[in-house]
Amino acid sequence: MKPYSLYLFDFDLTLVETRAVIVKCFHKTMQALSLPDRNDRDLAHLIGLPMKQAVAIAIGTNDQELIDKFCKAYTISADRYMTAGTRFYPESLPALSLLKERGAKIGIVSSKTASRIAERLELSHCAHLVDHIIGSHDVAAHKPAPEGLLKALEYFNIPKEDTLYTGDHLVDAQAAEAAGLDFAAVLTGNSSPYAFQPLPHRAIVPNVGHIPHILKP
């Protein structure tokens, strides 16, 4: 057994803690649009879903015009609060550094915009640890569709069998399965270890600090 050559990661609640700031942006947007508010717990459980799907659940509608209006208003709050309110987990940067030292390639495939991810990387002085980012604006079909992962494979030109995708949400596991990639679940998000059991996985670990120690089967 040997390490993988390419490590792909989700972003929110996988590499970084964003519960509080995402919930804050939802509250601010609901207030701005005079919509009924939701409790913090319900909103936090939407993290990881594609934005429009999360908004539809949060405001209880399939009205695409209203959903689009909400997304535009949410962006205003996110521009103000998101990057400052995003914090890397203590294990994240050491894990990425170790993988890079071994010569591995690292990518991020997220439902967040690539520009916002890049901004946090730059401000945290760790952009050199990530070779490529695929965000929400880079795909037509969001997770659990495999498009983002497949685009990452195409960019890096590394075989599927040499690639591990890590995420905190069931949509991450489903996307990995659809793409034919090995998957590792981290428990820094809202999903329990039992939720991942029915889906293919190489490991279910507490946090990304364990990822460098997961070997190819």
Side-chain angles (χ1 to χ4, degrees), residues 144-162:
E147 183 182 350
L149 295 175
L150 295 176
K151 282 195 169 187
L153 289 174
E154 181 180 5
Y155 175 85
F156 286 105
N157 194 28
I158 290 176
K160 291 182 179 183
E161 58 268 24
D162 289 330

Side-chain angles (χ1 to χ4, degrees), residues 183-186 201-205 214:
F183 176 74
V186 290
H201 58 273
R202 286 287 297 130
I204 300 172
V205 295
I214 299 173

Side-chain angles (χ1 to χ4, degrees), residues 103-118:
K105 296 295 184 180
I106 295 175
I108 292 175
V109 179
S110 171
S111 297
K112 204 181 206 77
T113 60
S115 60
R116 209 176 296 283
I117 294 170

Side-chain angles (χ1 to χ4, degrees), residues 123-146:
L123 289 174
S124 298
H125 307 291
C126 61
H128 62 286
L129 296 178
V130 177
D131 299 296
H132 190 56
I133 303 169
I134 292 179
S136 58
H137 292 168
D138 302 313
V139 298
H142 299 283
K143 295 181 289 188

Side-chain angles (χ1 to χ4, degrees), residues 1-7 99 102 104 162 212 214-216:
M1 295 189 294
K2 63 180 182 178
Y4 292 86
S5 300
L6 172 60
Y7 292 83
L99 294 174
R102 292 177 178 170
D162 289 330
I214 299 173
L215 301 178
K216 289 175 57 179

Side-chain angles (χ1 to χ4, degrees), residues 23-35:
V23 167
K24 178 178 182 176
C25 290
F26 264 97
H27 285 315
K28 293 283 187 183
T29 306
M30 289 171 164
Q31 293 165 10
L33 298 180
S34 299
L35 293 169

Side-chain angles (χ1 to χ4, degrees), residues 2-59:
K2 63 180 182 178
Y4 292 86
S5 300
L6 172 60
Y7 292 83
L8 301 175
F9 293 89
D10 177 47
F11 192 63
D12 291 324
L13 304 191
T14 296
L15 292 173
V16 296
E17 176 56 62
T18 49
R19 282 182 185 85
V21 68
I22 290 175
V23 167
K24 178 178 182 176
C25 290
F26 264 97
H27 285 315
K28 293 283 187 183
T29 306
M30 289 171 164
Q31 293 165 10
L33 298 180
S34 299
L35 293 169
D37 212 341
R38 298 285 296 273
N39 66 58
D40 290 0
R41 180 183 175 84
D42 287 346
L43 293 174
H45 274 282
L46 300 177
I47 300 172
L49 294 175
M51 185 61 184
K52 289 189 177 182
Q53 182 181 347
V55 170
I57 296 170
I59 63 178

Side-chain angles (χ1 to χ4, degrees), residues 57 118 166 208:
I57 296 170
T166 299
V208 294

